[in-house]
Each structure stands twice: as C-alpha cells, then as structure tokens.
C-alpha cells in the first residue's frame, strides 16, 4: 500500500512540475523520494551540451630552401590568424599557421 501511495505521489508531483515547467524556463530542481529512502534529483533548465573540441593551432615551416634540409617542420602554436606567419623554436625561417 505504501509503494502504491509513493508511486501515485511521484506521478502527481512530476505532472505538476511538468505543467509548471512549461511556463517557466528557470524552474528549480525537484527531488523525488522512493520507498527505500533513496533520493532522485532532476535538474531542470540546463540541457546537456555536446562536448566541442577546442581549435588547435600548428605552425608548419617549409625546409626545402635550406642547405641539407628538405621537407617540413611543424610545432604547436598559440592562437592567431590562420594563414599568417609563425615561428618554431630551433628552426630557421618562418612558417604558416594552420588549424586542425
């Protein structure tokens, strides 16, 4: 009988909060308690946002003009204008900034 009462009370509270939440976007969180005294909390208002990876910048220096060199050298770079000039430590010359 107690279980039936708790289920009915839970349905009543959740239906009232759904109706109240339709008019308010900043509704306060509510707590449901089942018959084993465990608390179930519900957060209202903030939907889960998917994780967005931050931009990563890389400096690519072309080594084809150097004596005995060839190919490209790359290093991580600080955020700046993509396509602009950049420098890598311990490398002669400047390179181009890219993002990935």
């Amino acid at each position: 009988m107690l279980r039936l009462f708790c289920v009915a009370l839970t349905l009543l509270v959740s239906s009232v909060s759904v109706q109240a939440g339709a008019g308010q976007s900043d509704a306060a969180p509510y707590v449901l308690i089942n018959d084993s005294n465990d608390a179930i909390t519900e957060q209202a208002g903030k939907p889960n946002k998917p994780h967005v990876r931050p931009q990563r910048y890389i400096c690519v220096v072309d080594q084809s003009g150097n004596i005995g060199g060839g190919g490209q050298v790359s290093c991580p770079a600080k955020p700046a204008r993509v396509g602009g000039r950049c420098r890598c430590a311990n490398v002669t010359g400047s390179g181009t900034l890219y993002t990935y």
Side-chain angles (χ1 to χ4, degrees):
M1 186 69 175
L2 180 63
R3 179 175 290 236
L4 181 63
F5 176 73
C6 289
V7 170
L9 182 63
T10 302
L11 290 174
L12 178 67
V13 169
S14 64
S15 67
V16 168
S17 65
V18 167
Q19 290 174 357
Q24 298 176 354
S25 62
D26 297 332
Y30 58 92
V31 178
L32 302 176
I33 300 177
N34 61 12
D35 60 341
S36 63
N37 293 329
D38 294 332
I40 303 169
T41 59
E42 294 282 331
Q43 278 291 349
K46 292 187 177 181
N48 292 334
K49 294 182 180 178
H51 177 70
V52 178
R53 187 182 68 139
Q55 288 282 44
R56 297 181 184 165
Y57 295 88
I58 188 168
C59 182
V60 178
V61 180
D62 186 19
Q63 294 288 309
S64 62
N66 291 348
I67 298 173
Q72 295 178 335
V73 176
S74 63
C75 63
K78 293 182 180 179
R81 178 175 283 191
V82 174
R85 306 307 286 166
C86 58
R87 303 282 308 243
C88 286
N90 301 324
V91 176
T92 304
S94 60
T96 306
L97 187 67
Y98 296 103
T99 185
Y100 67 97

